[in-house]
Amino acid sequence: MTTASRTRSRATWRNWAGTVAARPEREARPASVEELADTVRTAAAEGLRVKTVGTGHSFTAIAATDGVLIRPDLLTGIRRIDRQAMTVTVESGTPLKRLNAALAREGLSLTNMGDIMEQTVAGATSTGTHGTGRESGSIAAQITALELVTAAGEVLDCSAEENPEVFAAARIGLGALGVVSAITFAVEPMFLLHAREEPMPFDRVAEEFDALHAENEHFEFYWFPHTSRCTTKRNNRSQGPVDPPGRISGWIEDELLSNGLFQVVSTAGRAVPAAVPAIARISSRALSARTYTDIPYKVFTSPRRVRFVEMEYAVPRASAMAALRELRAMVDRSPLRVSFPVEVRTAPADDITLSTASGRDTAYIAVHMYKGTPYRGYFTEVERIMTAYEGRPHWGKLHTRDAAYLAGAYPRFAEFTAVRDRLDPDRLFGNDYLRRVLGD
């Protein structure tokens, strides 16, 4: 029996945004599924709880523990590619950026993805990370099978055919059902996306939202609070040729303006809140219209170097613009000063038990505040609006909902908790966050 490397230390772990800190009893770095199972069994025998942490991009305390913190950085790489089934099986600690690059070398791609690719595949899927899509859903919706280490230290293979009730829940399992050790994704031959980015007035976007969604495979937009301006992005498949952003113009848009200048203006807005509306008017005009064509991960994802905190709610797609108009009216009549744009994306209904798009066509409305800026007043008001529209909070982003609310928001909530009760009756994988959102 191999043994995972262990570090007995009370070193403090912090997430990317600095919103969560934890002091685990020890850390473990298993290098195989056998070592991972042994780590889980040992922790259970010692009465220590277990959590796995990826890159810490969740804003909630979903991965925090005072027991054993598993670091999956040795559980990386592709196990196998099945070109007949068009699937790829990957170790759970593999960063999405490494998976995307490896698939591209093989002439393959995921169908859809989020807007960053720093996270591990298990961390991203377990919290419901998503992009935007008319027919294609979250990253978890592209899972065809997964391998799960249970609280008993057993390795469970899950798919629509094998342990289907666990598979339905574990694709977005919140780390509550076990430790995901490998994931099999559906892939397809590499394709090209044509991106069209352009400014558009708020009223026009709101009025034409249904048409823009229907006419484009991937539509999203950002509204700049304190202004009437939006930036829209439409991504659609293309026959080519490849026409990426120019080296200089791409750097100006993606680094200088989206990160460098935005860092400066965000810092200025934090120091002088009264200046935020004027800064927003300048920022909303900084990004110009552009088009380009490239492989999917180079179009879907972009660097995000400015640190922030975030809340995101999933609402029925038919209610999205009503909710957004209420959000705008709230900001306009309040003393709030919001320097970050509001992001709106979509997803089709899926069949994952606790997916934010479970059973309904969905729109996502995400709000952000620059790190270090007071955010609770703004987020509280946004949450009040979104919950009035049957909103479901993103599992990895800030919110105050509890099991009583979520049991009403998710028709299959009891199905998930029943699977949890069976797989982890003693709550080996529990923590305070899961106690709040799932009950105990």
Side-chain angles (χ1 to χ4, degrees), residues 365-398:
I365 298 177
V367 297
H368 316 68
M369 287 291 271
Y370 182 50
K371 183 181 177 182
T373 302
Y375 64 86
R376 287 186 176 82
Y378 177 37
F379 284 14
T380 296
E381 287 302 305
V382 170
E383 194 166 40
R384 179 185 58 79
I385 294 168
M386 297 304 154
T387 53
Y389 286 94
E390 303 178 324
R392 298 169 177 169
H394 188 297
W395 296 108
K397 299 178 184 179
L398 296 176

Side-chain angles (χ1 to χ4, degrees), residues 98-114:
R98 287 183 56 186
L99 174 61
N100 287 333
L103 288 176
R105 289 193 295 270
E106 297 288 339
L108 301 170
S109 177
L110 296 172
T111 298
N112 200 356
M113 57 195 76

